[in-house]
Amino acid sequence: MPKNVVNPEFLPILEKMPSFDGLSGRSLPEVREIFLTSVRLIEGRPLPDVETQEVYVPGPAGAPDVRVVTYRPRERRPNAPAMVYIHGGGLVSGHPEVDDPKCQLLASKMGFVIVSVDYRLAPEVKYPGAIEDCYAVLKWVHENAQTLGINRQKVAVAGESAGGGLSAALSLLARDRKEYSLAYQLLIYPMLDDRTATKVDPAPDFGEFVWTRSANKYAWEAYLGASAGGADTPAYAAAARAKDLSGLPPTFIGVGSMDLFLCEDLDYARRLMAAGVPTEVSVVPGAYHVFDMFVPDAELSVRFMDNYCAGLKRTLGL
């Protein structure tokens, strides 16, 4: 796909980005350094009206505590909405600080108490390590609602890329375990289907920039500990594998028109709607993977965030 179809505001940063292609031929430290190199391109400044704190919360049974970073407006309000935020990084890299600018902005703009999860990464810890860490944090948020000053009925889950996939899986897990509820799932270009670029190949022009087919295959196999696209991938690992999507919380799915995940995200949205789940979809023209993280001030990035913030406000009654 020629670069002339990329939105002009997203082009300059694209020239500086490292390639995620060929990850399978690299060592794990090299893979993580590629991700960190791209993260260093993100500029963010602390917002004075947001308080940030590092906390360790009880992990899953027999597992270590989970580090989280909390963001909350300094001006406290009772019964605030809460958000469990899950970072991206292809399941093999990343940490909550990657999303520092976005989480600070959401806390400031929306009044959310945000708890961002530092889940265990693959391949050192394979499925279900990451999703169980996220569930442990959801449990902690609900069980400490009074201390946190939040409303248990207004807990949302959100994440981008691999974090979007984990958010979708967390919504399935919460629905099925029936212990803790979620009021909304915000899935930002989510990584939902291990079959993409293996059993199911999207149009050849999708995924040419940033997150590619080979990177996707590498990441899924690191997480699953098996070949991507196999017959037995659990739905709590890859949410697109779920047979039944009924009973899930209202959903926003957003993705760029040039993203490798476009087809799987649109298919998941279609299936959510067919299952009776209120679902809003936003496809951003001329946008590649993680466009809004790298160019947050672009007109389309601002409009994208405004769209999902409007969905959160409407659904949570803010």
Side-chain angles (χ1 to χ4, degrees):
M1 185 180 287
K3 287 187 178 178
N4 62 9
V5 299
V6 177
N7 180 278
E9 288 187 284
F10 301 144
L11 265 176
I13 199 79
L14 189 59
E15 306 293 339
K16 301 176 186 176
M17 280 193 197
S19 173
F20 285 87
D21 228 10
L23 293 186
S24 59
R26 302 174 187 267
S27 68
L28 192 57
E30 285 181 296
V31 169
R32 289 178 176 157
E33 182 55 34
I34 290 169
F35 182 75
L36 289 173
T37 299
S38 64
V39 167
R40 291 183 193 112
L41 300 174
I42 303 171
E43 295 180 5
R45 292 179 296 278
L47 298 181
D49 61 334
V50 175
E51 183 180 284
T52 304
Q53 184 180 11
E54 180 185 71
V55 182
Y56 284 81
V57 310
D65 289 350
V66 182
R67 187 178 79 97
V68 300
V69 179
T70 64
Y71 304 83
R72 63 186 311 152
R74 291 189 186 279
E75 190 175 320
R76 306 285 175 94
R77 70 180 194 192
N79 290 314
M83 176 179 280
V84 175
Y85 201 93
I86 308 176
H87 72 78
L91 299 164
V92 298
S93 60
H95 44 72
E97 286 77 8
V98 168
D99 296 302
D100 213 58
K102 187 180 289 183
C103 288
Q104 289 205 44
L105 188 56
L106 282 170
S108 174
K109 187 174 182 174
M110 303 288 288
F112 276 109
V113 174
I114 297 177
V115 182
S116 188
V117 187
D118 194 3
Y119 56 87
R120 289 169 292 167
L121 300 174
E124 294 95 333
V125 178
K126 297 176 173 58
Y127 170 81
I131 187 61
E132 290 294 353
D133 285 352
C134 294
Y135 190 84
V137 172
L138 177 64
K139 174 183 178 180
W140 179 80
V141 166
H142 272 269
E143 293 184 353
N144 292 272
Q146 188 170 357
T147 305
L148 292 168
I150 62 156
N151 184 339
R152 287 187 184 89
Q153 305 308 310
K154 293 185 178 181
V155 178
V157 63
E160 83 284 337
S161 194
L166 286 166
S167 296
L170 183 60
S171 294
L172 289 166
L173 203 54
R175 178 199 66 181
D176 296 345
R177 289 183 177 173
K178 297 181 173 60
E179 294 177 309
Y180 309 105
S181 64
L182 285 167
Y184 198 82
Q185 57 174 347
L186 169 56
L187 311 180
I188 303 173
Y189 31 82
M191 180 179 173
L192 298 168
D193 198 338
D194 63 304
R195 294 165 295 191
T196 293
T198 54
K199 300 292 183 185
V200 179
D201 202 19
D205 289 336
F206 297 152
E208 182 178 340
F209 304 122
V210 188
W211 192 250
T212 63
R213 287 164 174 72
S214 68
N216 201 50
K217 184 173 183 289
Y218 169 87
W220 275 115
E221 292 182 351
Y223 184 54
L224 297 172
S227 296
D232 301 321
T233 300
Y236 303 136
R241 299 300 198 110
K243 302 278 192 252
D244 177 16
L245 300 184
S246 63
L248 290 171
T251 303
F252 181 100
I253 295 183
V255 64
S257 67
M258 303 168 68
D259 199 310
L260 179 68
F261 299 149
L262 176 67
C263 296
E264 67 184 71
D265 290 354
L266 292 180
D267 185 60
Y268 199 68
R270 177 191 61 78
R271 292 180 55 217
L272 283 166
M273 293 178 209
V277 177
T279 303
E280 184 176 357
V281 182
S282 176
V283 177
V284 181
Y288 45 76
H289 196 58
V290 299
F291 67 94
D292 61 324
M293 288 181 68
F294 291 105
V295 199
D297 296 329
E299 180 194 350
L300 287 176
S301 297
V302 171
R303 193 189 307 170
F304 182 61
M305 178 177 255
D306 286 345
N307 284 347
Y308 63 69
C309 285
L312 283 160
K313 286 178 181 176
R314 188 169 56 248
T315 306
L316 300 181
L318 304 179

